[in-house]
Amino acid sequence: MALRVGFLHPDLGIGGAERLVVDAALGLKNKGHDVCIYTAHHDPEHCFQETKDGTLRVQVHGDWMPRHIFQHFFVVFAILRSFWTSIALVLFERQLDVIVVDQVSATIPLLRLLTLGRTRIVFYCHFPDKLQTSRNTFIKRLYRMPIDWWEEVTTGMAHTVVVNSKFTGKTFSGAFPSIQIIPDVLYPALNLDNYDAAPVGDEGLGVDASKDKSIM
């Protein structure tokens, strides 16, 4: 049975998290599901091809909001922009079966409220946000306190939580001790078609042996 799946992503640019969302959306679409991506920012000059050539349906809502005030409060505005995008998703995409929330968990309670609990919420955790910032001053610790608390509370409200590796899964459990959900591991996908299309010469995949081939 085909499902209606909506993705929520804060900034659909070019990066590892964005590639994962795009590949997941493509995989679901190729399986016959109806897929859309809602984001607060999408620059056609700085994005993956599939998000601008019509392969995937992308809707932008919330880009009118600032990202920060004088290089401060990035996380606050990321949350506010995500709230706006979440409202647009539920308003314009009727009867979604699944919503995949990427990175920003703060909107999960709102999504559950607006969908009246009829839609399954999946949260993809790349790495706990609370562990990605310093707290060098008392003001910064005070600022982060409610944000970190809300991240843990809202992450635990997802029906399903997935992480990108077993390492992140262990980190997740340590960062959010109150959450009883055991996250599933969903590894980032590889588009094997890109490798199948690459020409292979006498020297294998065409790697210059004179160059450092370390990927560590």
Side-chain angles (χ1 to χ4, degrees), residues 170-181:
K170 292 180 180 178
T171 304
F172 176 95
S173 299
F176 304 129
S178 69
I179 298 179
Q180 302 301 312
I181 299 174

Side-chain angles (χ1 to χ4, degrees), residues 112-132:
R112 295 193 62 159
L113 177 64
L114 294 177
T115 60
L116 303 177
R118 293 192 295 258
T119 301
R120 300 289 293 181
I121 308 297
V122 178
F123 178 63
Y124 197 100
C125 177
H126 299 269
F127 204 76
D129 183 70
K130 65 187 296 185
L131 301 181
Q132 299 189 63

Side-chain angles (χ1 to χ4, degrees), residues 4-83:
R4 298 197 67 206
V5 183
F7 283 82
L8 274 174
H9 186 78
D11 186 338
L12 199 59
I14 295 178
E18 291 73 27
R19 186 68 255 177
L20 187 145
V21 168
V22 170
D23 287 339
L26 286 171
L28 289 170
K29 181 181 179 181
N30 292 337
K31 291 290 185 180
H33 301 294
D34 183 10
V35 179
C36 62
I37 300 177
Y38 272 60
T39 182
H41 181 72
H42 180 244
D43 182 357
E45 301 300 321
H46 185 74
C47 65
F48 290 110
Q49 184 67 27
E50 300 93 334
T51 66
K52 65 178 181 179
D53 64 4
T55 302
L56 293 172
R57 185 161 58 91
V58 176
Q59 299 290 326
V60 181
H61 295 274
D63 207 11
W64 56 271
M65 289 187 183
R67 293 171 178 263
H68 57 82
I69 295 180
F70 301 116
Q71 299 298 313
H72 293 290
F73 306 111
F74 281 95
V75 66
V76 172
F77 283 103
I79 291 172
L80 291 176
R81 287 158 66 96
S82 292
F83 273 126

Side-chain angles (χ1 to χ4, degrees), residues 77-96:
F77 283 103
I79 291 172
L80 291 176
R81 287 158 66 96
S82 292
F83 273 126
W84 188 270
T85 310
S86 298
I87 293 171
L89 173 65
V90 176
L91 183 64
F92 296 116
E93 303 294 333
R94 300 290 183 176
Q95 299 178 339
L96 288 169

